[in-house]
Amino acid sequence: MATTAIARTNFAENKRKPGANRPNIIVIMADDMGFSDVGCYGSEIKTPNIDQLASSGLRFTQFYNCARCCPSRASLLTGLDNHAAGVGDMIDDMGTANYEGYLNKHCVTIAEALQPTGYHPLMVGKWHVGENQGHWPIDRGFERYFGLISGACNYFRLDPGRKMALENKPYVPDSKDFYMTDAFTDHAVDLLDDYGRRENPYFLYLAYTAPHWPLQAHPDDIAKYKGDYDKGWDRLRAERHQHQIDMGLAEAGWELTARDSTVPAWDDAKNKAELERRMEVYAAQIDRMDQGIGRVLQKVRDLGQEENTLVLFLADNGACHEVVERGKPGAVTGTPDSFASYGRGWANASNTPFRLYKHWVHEGGIAAPLIVRWPRQIKRHGEFFREPAHISDIMPTVLELAEGTYPQTYRGNSILPMAGKSLVPIFRGEAWSGHGPMYWEHEGNRAVRHGKWKLVSRYPDKWELYDMKADRSEIYDLAAKEPERLKEMTALYEAWAKRMKIMPATELFKNQHQHQLDRMKSLGRS
């Protein structure tokens, strides 16, 4: 395709020798992983490699994503609010500005912005911000790509209707030993072995699908967790919260929220053996991802590049409450023919101590781990950074470190100014001016974070107002006690929503329904 030829020409013509301090950069993203699901954020799941990143780097306690996979990926890749990048909802084109369902022409990706700097932009893993060719990673500036173009997929094979790609061509795995997480790790390690030996630095975006449903894992990984979850979700939440307190992650305003009202007490839950199995498989998926991250980090060490490689680890949204039950009848959960999720009870535990889940913009939906390690620069090992930051900050951070310039135009199109702020001053131990208001909207769920205050609404409910310093868990609604602040922050949101051309939720849901009918008709299921 012409776009691919242009991209490769740019790589050939624009290379220049790196500055002395320009690091290699690796961004690793987990999929549908809760705030407390790795050891260094409170979990019992075995994540030694991620935990080692934290002990030799910096943990953010108030890092935010965009509540769901497509919006978060769009914001990370472009440094914009996801609506401005064209992904106001998911990958369906709603026929209106900011809801195209793919990265639009008024944004540039990290890869496109890096081309003139001489960096090699590489990607492995889940894309999910443009389903059709012309909107794939190679089309948007990446030099190399292997991964899943679509959303959730079987880990052992490619599901019908899902798309994978190698470079810019469709790819279908044919190995009986294929497992998605391992395949991503293998390709990432191979790319590092190649580009880590070249003169110019690289940027690698490694986007795992783990631990997104379906629950599928290697038997030996599942076996590690046999019996670990017979304690149930109530005790697990309490233990994780205490662990967060003990390690200094949880602050005074982080009370443990009440169990989700739709979830029974563990003592009253039915089919406990199956429920325990599901959490065991979920833990195994995270465990396998951590093993893969260990292999990636070992390759960096083998290349002698650990000191000047910046590694960032984060998640695209909070834990997933969705109920998924399909697959071959009678298939054991975790095996290739099963296809299930772990349910709201365990998701409630994954998001300890917060409320709600992926899709909503309360803290359970948008609060994510962010771990950063860069031995040459970051010296506050094992410490916490406690100010709010946002996934849109990744793009300006990468561009500053690459000594790049953010373009005003690209391929003849005007480019919107970035919403994110560079995190580089934080890495250097310098003062960081922090964010102005941060905004969210996803399928009618909406929020504003400004200083210590957060205005938030779960569609179609009214606004709630929280003091995030005193009440990060969003338990004590102050909307009635702070009418002027409520009015002021509502006005901020409405002005932003107008700028972002936010589609009314009722119209969005109508469009979604029509797209679903069209898909079913195309598959002969009308």
Side-chain angles (χ1 to χ4, degrees), residues 65 67 98 113 119 163 168 183-185 192 207 237 273 288 294 308 331 365 368 374 379 451 455 500:
N65 52 48
N98 295 5
Y119 268 73
K163 300 175 183 179
N168 215 30
F184 290 168
T185 299
L192 292 175
R237 292 183 76 228
R288 196 68 174 195
N308 201 30
W374 181 12
K379 304 302 182 183
L455 184 73
M500 292 298 111

Side-chain angles (χ1 to χ4, degrees), residues 8 11 15 18 24 118-120 122 143-144 190-202 303 305:
R8 293 193 182 280
F11 287 120
K15 286 187 177 181
N24 297 310
Y119 268 73
H120 295 287
L122 316 169
E143 187 172 353
R144 301 287 301 278
D190 287 347
L191 287 175
L192 292 175
D193 192 56
D194 179 354
Y195 287 85
R197 301 178 191 276
R198 303 193 186 193
E199 181 180 20
N200 279 18
Y202 57 79
L303 292 165
Q305 297 174 341

Side-chain angles (χ1 to χ4, degrees), residues 462-465 476-484 486:
K462 63 180 178 64
W463 286 114
E464 301 164 2
L465 181 66
Y476 306 103
D477 180 9
L478 302 177
K481 296 181 178 180
E482 295 273 354
E484 289 303 314
L486 177 66

